[in-house]
Every structure is written in structure tokens, then in C-alpha cells.
PDB file of all heavy atoms in Angstrom:
ATOM      1  N   GLY A   1     167.108 179.173  61.858  1.00 91.00           N
ATOM      2  CA  GLY A   1     167.819 178.847  60.627  1.00 91.00           C
ATOM      3  C   GLY A   1     169.079 178.035  60.784  1.00 91.00           C
ATOM      4  O   GLY A   1     169.909 177.989  59.859  1.00 91.00           O
ATOM      5  N   GLY A   2     169.259 177.375  61.915  1.00 91.00           N
ATOM      6  CA  GLY A   2     170.422 176.523  62.107  1.00 91.00           C
ATOM      7  C   GLY A   2     170.423 175.368  61.113  1.00 91.00           C
ATOM      8  O   GLY A   2     169.366 174.817  60.783  1.00 91.00           O
ATOM      9  N   ASP A   3     171.616 175.011  60.616  1.00 92.00           N
ATOM     10  CA  ASP A   3     171.723 173.993  59.571  1.00 92.00           C
ATOM     11  C   ASP A   3     171.860 172.600  60.192  1.00 92.00           C
ATOM     12  O   ASP A   3     172.902 171.946  60.088  1.00 92.00           O
ATOM     13  CB  ASP A   3     172.925 174.300  58.675  1.00 92.00           C
ATOM     14  CG  ASP A   3     172.951 173.413  57.436  1.00 92.00           C
ATOM     15  OD1 ASP A   3     171.908 172.807  57.131  1.00 92.00           O
ATOM     16  OD2 ASP A   3     174.017 173.320  56.801  1.00 92.00           O
ATOM     17  N   PHE A   4     170.801 172.154  60.845  1.00 94.00           N
ATOM     18  CA  PHE A   4     170.737 170.798  61.396  1.00 94.00           C
ATOM     19  C   PHE A   4     169.260 170.439  61.522  1.00 94.00           C
ATOM     20  O   PHE A   4     168.394 171.310  61.431  1.00 94.00           O
ATOM     21  CB  PHE A   4     171.451 170.708  62.751  1.00 94.00           C
ATOM     22  CG  PHE A   4     170.826 171.548  63.845  1.00 94.00           C
ATOM     23  CD1 PHE A   4     169.975 170.990  64.784  1.00 94.00           C
ATOM     24  CD2 PHE A   4     171.099 172.908  63.931  1.00 94.00           C
ATOM     25  CE1 PHE A   4     169.403 171.749  65.784  1.00 94.00           C
ATOM     26  CE2 PHE A   4     170.522 173.692  64.932  1.00 94.00           C
ATOM     27  CZ  PHE A   4     169.678 173.116  65.856  1.00 94.00           C
ATOM     28  N   SER A   5     168.981 169.161  61.729  1.00 94.00           N
ATOM     29  CA  SER A   5     167.589 168.702  61.755  1.00 94.00           C
ATOM     30  C   SER A   5     167.170 168.289  63.165  1.00 94.00           C
ATOM     31  O   SER A   5     168.010 168.173  64.061  1.00 94.00           O
ATOM     32  CB  SER A   5     167.423 167.505  60.814  1.00 94.00           C
ATOM     33  OG  SER A   5     168.141 166.376  61.328  1.00 94.00           O
ATOM     34  N   LEU A   6     165.884 168.038  63.315  1.00 95.00           N
ATOM     35  CA  LEU A   6     165.377 167.543  64.591  1.00 95.00           C
ATOM     36  C   LEU A   6     166.008 166.197  64.928  1.00 95.00           C
ATOM     37  O   LEU A   6     166.365 165.931  66.080  1.00 95.00           O
ATOM     38  CB  LEU A   6     163.846 167.409  64.527  1.00 95.00           C
ATOM     39  CG  LEU A   6     163.152 166.855  65.774  1.00 95.00           C
ATOM     40  CD1 LEU A   6     163.408 167.742  66.987  1.00 95.00           C
ATOM     41  CD2 LEU A   6     161.650 166.704  65.534  1.00 95.00           C
ATOM     42  N   GLY A   7     166.184 165.355  63.907  1.00 96.00           N
ATOM     43  CA  GLY A   7     166.832 164.065  64.122  1.00 96.00           C
ATOM     44  C   GLY A   7     168.272 164.229  64.590  1.00 96.00           C
ATOM     45  O   GLY A   7     168.740 163.479  65.460  1.00 96.00           O
ATOM     46  N   ASP A   8     168.991 165.201  64.000  1.00 96.00           N
ATOM     47  CA  ASP A   8     170.362 165.486  64.449  1.00 96.00           C
ATOM     48  C   ASP A   8     170.374 165.858  65.927  1.00 96.00           C
ATOM     49  O   ASP A   8     171.223 165.391  66.685  1.00 96.00           O
ATOM     50  CB  ASP A   8     170.957 166.644  63.640  1.00 96.00           C
ATOM     51  CG  ASP A   8     171.218 166.283  62.193  1.00 96.00           C
ATOM     52  OD1 ASP A   8     171.479 165.098  61.915  1.00 96.00           O
ATOM     53  OD2 ASP A   8     171.146 167.199  61.342  1.00 96.00           O
ATOM     54  N   TYR A   9     169.433 166.708  66.296  1.00 96.00           N
ATOM     55  CA  TYR A   9     169.353 167.162  67.689  1.00 96.00           C
ATOM     56  C   TYR A   9     169.126 165.998  68.645  1.00 96.00           C
ATOM     57  O   TYR A   9     169.805 165.877  69.671  1.00 96.00           O
ATOM     58  CB  TYR A   9     168.237 168.198  67.825  1.00 96.00           C
ATOM     59  CG  TYR A   9     167.715 168.406  69.221  1.00 96.00           C
ATOM     60  CD1 TYR A   9     168.579 168.722  70.278  1.00 96.00           C
ATOM     61  CD2 TYR A   9     166.354 168.284  69.498  1.00 96.00           C
ATOM     62  CE1 TYR A   9     168.099 168.910  71.568  1.00 96.00           C
ATOM     63  CE2 TYR A   9     165.869 168.474  70.787  1.00 96.00           C
ATOM     64  CZ  TYR A   9     166.745 168.782  71.809  1.00 96.00           C
ATOM     65  OH  TYR A   9     166.261 168.963  73.090  1.00 96.00           O
ATOM     66  N   LEU A  10     168.170 165.114  68.294  1.00 96.00           N
ATOM     67  CA  LEU A  10     167.854 163.999  69.196  1.00 96.00           C
ATOM     68  C   LEU A  10     168.975 162.969  69.252  1.00 96.00           C
ATOM     69  O   LEU A  10     169.383 162.535  70.335  1.00 96.00           O
ATOM     70  CB  LEU A  10     166.548 163.337  68.753  1.00 96.00           C
ATOM     71  CG  LEU A  10     165.286 164.195  68.882  1.00 96.00           C
ATOM     72  CD1 LEU A  10     164.081 163.467  68.296  1.00 96.00           C
ATOM     73  CD2 LEU A  10     165.013 164.569  70.336  1.00 96.00           C
ATOM     74  N   LEU A  11     169.482 162.570  68.075  1.00 97.00           N
ATOM     75  CA  LEU A  11     170.484 161.503  68.023  1.00 97.00           C
ATOM     76  C   LEU A  11     171.866 161.980  68.430  1.00 97.00           C
ATOM     77  O   LEU A  11     172.584 161.283  69.162  1.00 97.00           O
ATOM     78  CB  LEU A  11     170.537 160.912  66.616  1.00 97.00           C
ATOM     79  CG  LEU A  11     171.576 159.804  66.394  1.00 97.00           C
ATOM     80  CD1 LEU A  11     171.290 158.607  67.317  1.00 97.00           C
ATOM     81  CD2 LEU A  11     171.588 159.364  64.935  1.00 97.00           C
ATOM     82  N   TRP A  12     172.228 163.186  67.982  1.00 96.00           N
ATOM     83  CA  TRP A  12     173.588 163.666  68.206  1.00 96.00           C
ATOM     84  C   TRP A  12     173.681 164.713  69.300  1.00 96.00           C
ATOM     85  O   TRP A  12     174.650 165.450  69.355  1.00 96.00           O
ATOM     86  CB  TRP A  12     174.181 164.190  66.904  1.00 96.00           C
ATOM     87  CG  TRP A  12     174.533 163.067  65.991  1.00 96.00           C
ATOM     88  CD1 TRP A  12     173.810 162.621  64.923  1.00 96.00           C
ATOM     89  CD2 TRP A  12     175.673 162.207  66.090  1.00 96.00           C
ATOM     90  NE1 TRP A  12     174.427 161.539  64.344  1.00 96.00           N
ATOM     91  CE2 TRP A  12     175.584 161.270  65.037  1.00 96.00           C
ATOM     92  CE3 TRP A  12     176.765 162.147  66.953  1.00 96.00           C
ATOM     93  CZ2 TRP A  12     176.538 160.282  64.841  1.00 96.00           C
ATOM     94  CZ3 TRP A  12     177.718 161.169  66.759  1.00 96.00           C
ATOM     95  CH2 TRP A  12     177.610 160.248  65.714  1.00 96.00           C
ATOM     96  N   ASN A  13     172.655 164.771  70.148  1.00 97.00           N
ATOM     97  CA  ASN A  13     172.797 165.608  71.338  1.00 97.00           C
ATOM     98  C   ASN A  13     171.905 165.164  72.483  1.00 97.00           C
ATOM     99  O   ASN A  13     172.397 164.668  73.486  1.00 97.00           O
ATOM    100  CB  ASN A  13     172.586 167.096  71.034  1.00 97.00           C
ATOM    101  CG  ASN A  13     173.114 167.937  72.177  1.00 97.00           C
ATOM    102  OD1 ASN A  13     172.490 168.022  73.219  1.00 97.00           O
ATOM    103  ND2 ASN A  13     174.285 168.530  72.009  1.00 97.00           N
ATOM    104  N   GLU A  14     170.588 165.341  72.344  1.00 97.00           N
ATOM    105  CA  GLU A  14     169.724 165.203  73.512  1.00 97.00           C
ATOM    106  C   GLU A  14     169.767 163.810  74.148  1.00 97.00           C
ATOM    107  O   GLU A  14     169.917 163.682  75.368  1.00 97.00           O
ATOM    108  CB  GLU A  14     168.277 165.561  73.144  1.00 97.00           C
ATOM    109  CG  GLU A  14     167.369 165.732  74.360  1.00 97.00           C
ATOM    110  CD  GLU A  14     167.759 166.895  75.257  1.00 97.00           C
ATOM    111  OE1 GLU A  14     168.143 167.969  74.737  1.00 97.00           O
ATOM    112  OE2 GLU A  14     167.708 166.736  76.491  1.00 97.00           O
ATOM    113  N   ILE A  15     169.631 162.762  73.366  1.00 97.00           N
ATOM    114  CA  ILE A  15     169.578 161.411  73.938  1.00 97.00           C
ATOM    115  C   ILE A  15     170.905 161.015  74.591  1.00 97.00           C
ATOM    116  O   ILE A  15     170.929 160.584  75.754  1.00 97.00           O
ATOM    117  CB  ILE A  15     169.133 160.385  72.877  1.00 97.00           C
ATOM    118  CG1 ILE A  15     167.687 160.661  72.453  1.00 97.00           C
ATOM    119  CG2 ILE A  15     169.273 158.960  73.413  1.00 97.00           C
ATOM    120  CD1 ILE A  15     167.194 159.827  71.285  1.00 97.00           C
ATOM    121  N   PRO A  16     172.051 161.159  73.907  1.00 98.00           N
ATOM    122  CA  PRO A  16     173.319 160.839  74.578  1.00 98.00           C
ATOM    123  C   PRO A  16     173.599 161.744  75.781  1.00 98.00           C
ATOM    124  O   PRO A  16     174.185 161.296  76.777  1.00 98.00           O
ATOM    125  CB  PRO A  16     174.372 161.056  73.483  1.00 98.00           C
ATOM    126  CG  PRO A  16     173.614 160.954  72.203  1.00 98.00           C
ATOM    127  CD  PRO A  16     172.257 161.489  72.493  1.00 98.00           C
ATOM    128  N   THR A  17     173.155 162.998  75.693  1.00 98.00           N
ATOM    129  CA  THR A  17     173.364 163.918  76.815  1.00 98.00           C
ATOM    130  C   THR A  17     172.583 163.470  78.041  1.00 98.00           C
ATOM    131  O   THR A  17     173.095 163.491  79.169  1.00 98.00           O
ATOM    132  CB  THR A  17     172.951 165.346  76.414  1.00 98.00           C
ATOM    133  OG1 THR A  17     173.814 165.818  75.382  1.00 98.00           O
ATOM    134  CG2 THR A  17     173.049 166.295  77.607  1.00 98.00           C
ATOM    135  N   ILE A  18     171.335 163.051  77.839  1.00 98.00           N
ATOM    136  CA  ILE A  18     170.529 162.574  78.953  1.00 98.00           C
ATOM    137  C   ILE A  18     171.187 161.369  79.616  1.00 98.00           C
ATOM    138  O   ILE A  18     171.290 161.294  80.853  1.00 98.00           O
ATOM    139  CB  ILE A  18     169.105 162.211  78.482  1.00 98.00           C
ATOM    140  CG1 ILE A  18     168.318 163.471  78.132  1.00 98.00           C
ATOM    141  CG2 ILE A  18     168.359 161.414  79.557  1.00 98.00           C
ATOM    142  CD1 ILE A  18     167.005 163.194  77.445  1.00 98.00           C
ATOM    143  N   ILE A  19     171.656 160.425  78.807  1.00 98.00           N
ATOM    144  CA  ILE A  19     172.317 159.242  79.367  1.00 98.00           C
ATOM    145  C   ILE A  19     173.563 159.649  80.152  1.00 98.00           C
ATOM    146  O   ILE A  19     173.809 159.176  81.267  1.00 98.00           O
ATOM    147  CB  ILE A  19     172.661 158.243  78.247  1.00 98.00           C
ATOM    148  CG1 ILE A  19     171.382 157.741  77.577  1.00 98.00           C
ATOM    149  CG2 ILE A  19     173.462 157.066  78.810  1.00 98.00           C
ATOM    150  CD1 ILE A  19     171.625 156.939  76.308  1.00 98.00           C
ATOM    151  N   GLY A  20     174.343 160.551  79.581  1.00 98.00           N
ATOM    152  CA  GLY A  20     175.530 161.035  80.279  1.00 98.00           C
ATOM    153  C   GLY A  20     175.189 161.765  81.559  1.00 98.00           C
ATOM    154  O   GLY A  20     175.867 161.603  82.583  1.00 98.00           O
ATOM    155  N   ASN A  21     174.133 162.571  81.527  1.00 98.00           N
ATOM    156  CA  ASN A  21     173.699 163.286  82.733  1.00 98.00           C
ATOM    157  C   ASN A  21     173.297 162.319  83.847  1.00 98.00           C
ATOM    158  O   ASN A  21     173.610 162.549  85.020  1.00 98.00           O
ATOM    159  CB  ASN A  21     172.521 164.217  82.403  1.00 98.00           C
ATOM    160  CG  ASN A  21     172.896 165.456  81.623  1.00 98.00           C
ATOM    161  OD1 ASN A  21     172.031 166.183  81.158  1.00 98.00           O
ATOM    162  ND2 ASN A  21     174.189 165.713  81.443  1.00 98.00           N
ATOM    163  N   ILE A  22     172.589 161.242  83.486  1.00 98.00           N
ATOM    164  CA  ILE A  22     172.194 160.249  84.486  1.00 98.00           C
ATOM    165  C   ILE A  22     173.434 159.608  85.107  1.00 98.00           C
ATOM    166  O   ILE A  22     173.566 159.524  86.338  1.00 98.00           O
ATOM    167  CB  ILE A  22     171.296 159.163  83.862  1.00 98.00           C
ATOM    168  CG1 ILE A  22     169.943 159.757  83.437  1.00 98.00           C
ATOM    169  CG2 ILE A  22     171.077 158.014  84.848  1.00 98.00           C
ATOM    170  CD1 ILE A  22     169.078 158.801  82.624  1.00 98.00           C
ATOM    171  N   VAL A  23     174.357 159.179  84.266  1.00 98.00           N
ATOM    172  CA  VAL A  23     175.570 158.520  84.759  1.00 98.00           C
ATOM    173  C   VAL A  23     176.400 159.470  85.621  1.00 98.00           C
ATOM    174  O   VAL A  23     176.867 159.103  86.707  1.00 98.00           O
ATOM    175  CB  VAL A  23     176.407 157.989  83.576  1.00 98.00           C
ATOM    176  CG1 VAL A  23     177.762 157.471  84.062  1.00 98.00           C
ATOM    177  CG2 VAL A  23     175.655 156.888  82.842  1.00 98.00           C
ATOM    178  N   GLY A  24     176.579 160.694  85.162  1.00 98.00           N
ATOM    179  CA  GLY A  24     177.406 161.644  85.900  1.00 98.00           C
ATOM    180  C   GLY A  24     176.835 162.007  87.250  1.00 98.00           C
ATOM    181  O   GLY A  24     177.550 162.011  88.269  1.00 98.00           O
ATOM    182  N   GLY A  25     175.545 162.320  87.298  1.00 98.00           N
ATOM    183  CA  GLY A  25     174.922 162.712  88.559  1.00 98.00           C
ATOM    184  C   GLY A  25     174.896 161.594  89.572  1.00 98.00           C
ATOM    185  O   GLY A  25     175.188 161.791  90.753  1.00 98.00           O
ATOM    186  N   LEU A  26     174.552 160.392  89.106  1.00 97.00           N
ATOM    187  CA  LEU A  26     174.471 159.248  90.019  1.00 97.00           C
ATOM    188  C   LEU A  26     175.847 158.769  90.475  1.00 97.00           C
ATOM    189  O   LEU A  26     176.085 158.554  91.661  1.00 97.00           O
ATOM    190  CB  LEU A  26     173.735 158.099  89.340  1.00 97.00           C
ATOM    191  CG  LEU A  26     172.225 158.007  89.571  1.00 97.00           C
ATOM    192  CD1 LEU A  26     171.652 156.849  88.779  1.00 97.00           C
ATOM    193  CD2 LEU A  26     171.901 157.851  91.039  1.00 97.00           C
ATOM    194  N   THR A  27     176.753 158.612  89.526  1.00 97.00           N
ATOM    195  CA  THR A  27     178.050 158.007  89.834  1.00 97.00           C
ATOM    196  C   THR A  27     178.929 158.911  90.686  1.00 97.00           C
ATOM    197  O   THR A  27     179.495 158.476  91.695  1.00 97.00           O
ATOM    198  CB  THR A  27     178.798 157.666  88.531  1.00 97.00           C
ATOM    199  OG1 THR A  27     177.981 156.806  87.739  1.00 97.00           O
ATOM    200  CG2 THR A  27     180.117 156.979  88.830  1.00 97.00           C
ATOM    201  N   PHE A  28     179.052 160.168  90.286  1.00 98.00           N
ATOM    202  CA  PHE A  28     180.017 161.044  90.924  1.00 98.00           C
ATOM    203  C   PHE A  28     179.450 161.896  92.058  1.00 98.00           C
ATOM    204  O   PHE A  28     180.207 162.551  92.772  1.00 98.00           O
ATOM    205  CB  PHE A  28     180.674 161.949  89.880  1.00 98.00           C
ATOM    206  CG  PHE A  28     181.538 161.204  88.910  1.00 98.00           C
ATOM    207  CD1 PHE A  28     181.101 160.944  87.621  1.00 98.00           C
ATOM    208  CD2 PHE A  28     182.781 160.736  89.287  1.00 98.00           C
ATOM    209  CE1 PHE A  28     181.890 160.233  86.726  1.00 98.00           C
ATOM    210  CE2 PHE A  28     183.586 160.033  88.403  1.00 98.00           C
ATOM    211  CZ  PHE A  28     183.136 159.779  87.119  1.00 98.00           C
ATOM    212  N   VAL A  29     178.127 161.892  92.208  1.00 98.00           N
ATOM    213  CA  VAL A  29     177.532 162.712  93.272  1.00 98.00           C
ATOM    214  C   VAL A  29     176.604 161.883  94.156  1.00 98.00           C
ATOM    215  O   VAL A  29     176.892 161.651  95.333  1.00 98.00           O
ATOM    216  CB  VAL A  29     176.766 163.930  92.698  1.00 98.00           C
ATOM    217  CG1 VAL A  29     176.228 164.806  93.829  1.00 98.00           C
ATOM    218  CG2 VAL A  29     177.667 164.750  91.789  1.00 98.00           C
ATOM    219  N   GLY A  30     175.488 161.421  93.608  1.00 98.00           N
ATOM    220  CA  GLY A  30     174.476 160.755  94.418  1.00 98.00           C
ATOM    221  C   GLY A  30     174.982 159.525  95.145  1.00 98.00           C
ATOM    222  O   GLY A  30     174.949 159.449  96.378  1.00 98.00           O
ATOM    223  N   LEU A  31     175.451 158.538  94.391  1.00 97.00           N
ATOM    224  CA  LEU A  31     175.888 157.286  95.006  1.00 97.00           C
ATOM    225  C   LEU A  31     177.144 157.470  95.845  1.00 97.00           C
ATOM    226  O   LEU A  31     177.332 156.798  96.860  1.00 97.00           O
ATOM    227  CB  LEU A  31     176.121 156.230  93.927  1.00 97.00           C
ATOM    228  CG  LEU A  31     174.870 155.774  93.172  1.00 97.00           C
ATOM    229  CD1 LEU A  31     175.239 154.761  92.099  1.00 97.00           C
ATOM    230  CD2 LEU A  31     173.840 155.180  94.122  1.00 97.00           C
ATOM    231  N   THR A  32     178.006 158.382  95.428  1.00 97.00           N
ATOM    232  CA  THR A  32     179.236 158.630  96.185  1.00 97.00           C
ATOM    233  C   THR A  32     178.924 159.183  97.569  1.00 97.00           C
ATOM    234  O   THR A  32     179.430 158.686  98.588  1.00 97.00           O
ATOM    235  CB  THR A  32     180.138 159.608  95.416  1.00 97.00           C
ATOM    236  OG1 THR A  32     180.370 159.107  94.103  1.00 97.00           O
ATOM    237  CG2 THR A  32     181.471 159.789  96.127  1.00 97.00           C
ATOM    238  N   VAL A  33     178.096 160.224  97.607  1.00 97.00           N
ATOM    239  CA  VAL A  33     177.732 160.819  98.891  1.00 97.00           C
ATOM    240  C   VAL A  33     176.953 159.821  99.739  1.00 97.00           C
ATOM    241  O   VAL A  33     177.188 159.678 100.943  1.00 97.00           O
ATOM    242  CB  VAL A  33     176.919 162.117  98.684  1.00 97.00           C
ATOM    243  CG1 VAL A  33     176.405 162.648 100.013  1.00 97.00           C
ATOM    244  CG2 VAL A  33     177.780 163.177  98.000  1.00 97.00           C
ATOM    245  N   TYR A  34     176.036 159.106  99.107  1.00 98.00           N
ATOM    246  CA  TYR A  34     175.215 158.135  99.836  1.00 98.00           C
ATOM    247  C   TYR A  34     176.083 157.045 100.464  1.00 98.00           C
ATOM    248  O   TYR A  34     175.917 156.683 101.635  1.00 98.00           O
ATOM    249  CB  TYR A  34     174.201 157.508  98.882  1.00 98.00           C
ATOM    250  CG  TYR A  34     173.277 156.501  99.539  1.00 98.00           C
ATOM    251  CD1 TYR A  34     172.117 156.919 100.194  1.00 98.00           C
ATOM    252  CD2 TYR A  34     173.556 155.135  99.491  1.00 98.00           C
ATOM    253  CE1 TYR A  34     171.267 156.003 100.795  1.00 98.00           C
ATOM    254  CE2 TYR A  34     172.708 154.219 100.091  1.00 98.00           C
ATOM    255  CZ  TYR A  34     171.566 154.653 100.744  1.00 98.00           C
ATOM    256  OH  TYR A  34     170.740 153.742 101.345  1.00 98.00           O
ATOM    257  N   ALA A  35     177.013 156.515  99.671  1.00 97.00           N
ATOM    258  CA  ALA A  35     177.818 155.382 100.137  1.00 97.00           C
ATOM    259  C   ALA A  35     178.718 155.746 101.306  1.00 97.00           C
ATOM    260  O   ALA A  35     178.893 154.949 102.239  1.00 97.00           O
ATOM    261  CB  ALA A  35     178.661 154.835  98.986  1.00 97.00           C
ATOM    262  N   THR A  36     179.291 156.959 101.280  1.00 96.00           N
ATOM    263  CA  THR A  36     180.284 157.278 102.297  1.00 96.00           C
ATOM    264  C   THR A  36     179.760 158.133 103.444  1.00 96.00           C
ATOM    265  O   THR A  36     180.372 158.155 104.514  1.00 96.00           O
ATOM    266  CB  THR A  36     181.505 157.971 101.655  1.00 96.00           C
ATOM    267  OG1 THR A  36     182.571 158.026 102.616  1.00 96.00           O
ATOM    268  CG2 THR A  36     181.175 159.383 101.219  1.00 96.00           C
ATOM    269  N   HIS A  37     178.624 158.818 103.241  1.00 96.00           N
ATOM    270  CA  HIS A  37     178.104 159.675 104.307  1.00 96.00           C
ATOM    271  C   HIS A  37     176.767 159.200 104.880  1.00 96.00           C
ATOM    272  O   HIS A  37     176.508 159.372 106.065  1.00 96.00           O
ATOM    273  CB  HIS A  37     177.968 161.117 103.812  1.00 96.00           C
ATOM    274  CG  HIS A  37     179.285 161.777 103.547  1.00 96.00           C
ATOM    275  ND1 HIS A  37     180.276 161.844 104.493  1.00 96.00           N
ATOM    276  CD2 HIS A  37     179.779 162.387 102.439  1.00 96.00           C
ATOM    277  CE1 HIS A  37     181.328 162.479 103.985  1.00 96.00           C
ATOM    278  NE2 HIS A  37     181.058 162.811 102.740  1.00 96.00           N
ATOM    279  N   ALA A  38     175.907 158.612 104.042  1.00 95.00           N
ATOM    280  CA  ALA A  38     174.636 158.091 104.554  1.00 95.00           C
ATOM    281  C   ALA A  38     174.782 156.656 105.045  1.00 95.00           C
ATOM    282  O   ALA A  38     174.109 156.234 105.984  1.00 95.00           O
ATOM    283  CB  ALA A  38     173.560 158.167 103.475  1.00 95.00           C
ATOM    284  N   ARG A  39     175.640 155.879 104.374  1.00 92.00           N
ATOM    285  CA  ARG A  39     175.877 154.488 104.765  1.00 92.00           C
ATOM    286  C   ARG A  39     177.378 154.291 105.001  1.00 92.00           C
ATOM    287  O   ARG A  39     178.032 153.494 104.349  1.00 92.00           O
ATOM    288  CB  ARG A  39     175.373 153.551 103.665  1.00 92.00           C
ATOM    289  CG  ARG A  39     173.859 153.543 103.535  1.00 92.00           C
ATOM    290  CD  ARG A  39     173.188 152.926 104.762  1.00 92.00           C
ATOM    291  NE  ARG A  39     171.733 153.021 104.690  1.00 92.00           N
ATOM    292  CZ  ARG A  39     171.023 154.006 105.209  1.00 92.00           C
ATOM    293  NH1 ARG A  39     171.633 155.006 105.839  1.00 92.00           N
ATOM    294  NH2 ARG A  39     169.714 154.023 105.115  1.00 92.00           N
ATOM    295  N   THR A  40     177.892 155.053 105.953  1.00 92.00           N
ATOM    296  CA  THR A  40     179.325 155.036 106.237  1.00 92.00           C
ATOM    297  C   THR A  40     179.784 153.650 106.684  1.00 92.00           C
ATOM    298  O   THR A  40     179.119 152.985 107.475  1.00 92.00           O
ATOM    299  CB  THR A  40     179.651 156.055 107.350  1.00 92.00           C
ATOM    300  OG1 THR A  40     179.102 157.322 106.969  1.00 92.00           O
ATOM    301  CG2 THR A  40     181.147 156.185 107.574  1.00 92.00           C
ATOM    302  N   GLY A  41     180.915 153.217 106.160  1.00 89.00           N
ATOM    303  CA  GLY A  41     181.458 151.916 106.532  1.00 89.00           C
ATOM    304  C   GLY A  41     181.937 151.902 107.975  1.00 89.00           C
ATOM    305  O   GLY A  41     182.223 152.954 108.559  1.00 89.00           O
ATOM    306  N   PRO A  42     182.029 150.717 108.584  1.00 89.00           N
ATOM    307  CA  PRO A  42     182.490 150.632 109.979  1.00 89.00           C
ATOM    308  C   PRO A  42     183.935 151.096 110.113  1.00 89.00           C
ATOM    309  O   PRO A  42     184.762 150.861 109.230  1.00 89.00           O
ATOM    310  CB  PRO A  42     182.363 149.127 110.295  1.00 89.00           C
ATOM    311  CG  PRO A  42     182.397 148.442 108.964  1.00 89.00           C
ATOM    312  CD  PRO A  42     181.755 149.387 108.000  1.00 89.00           C
ATOM    313  N   SER A  43     184.227 151.761 111.226  1.00 88.00           N
ATOM    314  CA  SER A  43     185.585 152.246 111.467  1.00 88.00           C
ATOM    315  C   SER A  43     186.523 151.069 111.726  1.00 88.00           C
ATOM    316  O   SER A  43     186.115 150.028 112.262  1.00 88.00           O
ATOM    317  CB  SER A  43     185.608 153.199 112.672  1.00 88.00           C
ATOM    318  OG  SER A  43     184.770 154.306 112.445  1.00 88.00           O
ATOM    319  N   ARG A  44     187.747 151.223 111.357  1.00 87.00           N
ATOM    320  CA  ARG A  44     188.747 150.189 111.618  1.00 87.00           C
ATOM    321  C   ARG A  44     189.079 150.171 113.113  1.00 87.00           C
ATOM    322  O   ARG A  44     189.070 151.208 113.780  1.00 87.00           O
ATOM    323  CB  ARG A  44     190.019 150.475 110.824  1.00 87.00           C
ATOM    324  CG  ARG A  44     189.823 150.439 109.322  1.00 87.00           C
ATOM    325  CD  ARG A  44     191.098 150.784 108.599  1.00 87.00           C
ATOM    326  NE  ARG A  44     192.165 149.842 108.928  1.00 87.00           N
ATOM    327  CZ  ARG A  44     193.452 150.087 108.683  1.00 87.00           C
ATOM    328  NH1 ARG A  44     193.819 151.248 108.152  1.00 87.00           N
ATOM    329  NH2 ARG A  44     194.366 149.178 108.987  1.00 87.00           N
TER     330      ARG A  44
END
């Protein structure tokens, strides 16, 4: 009995959340760890 629609759920939650989840996981975890620990830059 929640006062919202399926369209509200998709547009105002699920779709933007998925995009945010992709950006957050890749940017702050996956690519960060990969760049500095799997493909470590040459030492000075």
C-alpha cells in the first residue's frame, strides 16, 4: 500500500541507483585498486 507507482520506483530510484552503483564501485574501488596495486607505476 505504499503511495508511489512502479514508474516512480524505476525513474526516481532503481535506474539512477544502478548508474550510481556502477560509478561508485568502479571509480572508488575497482579501478583504484587495479591502477595502484595490479598495475603499479614505476618507482622513482
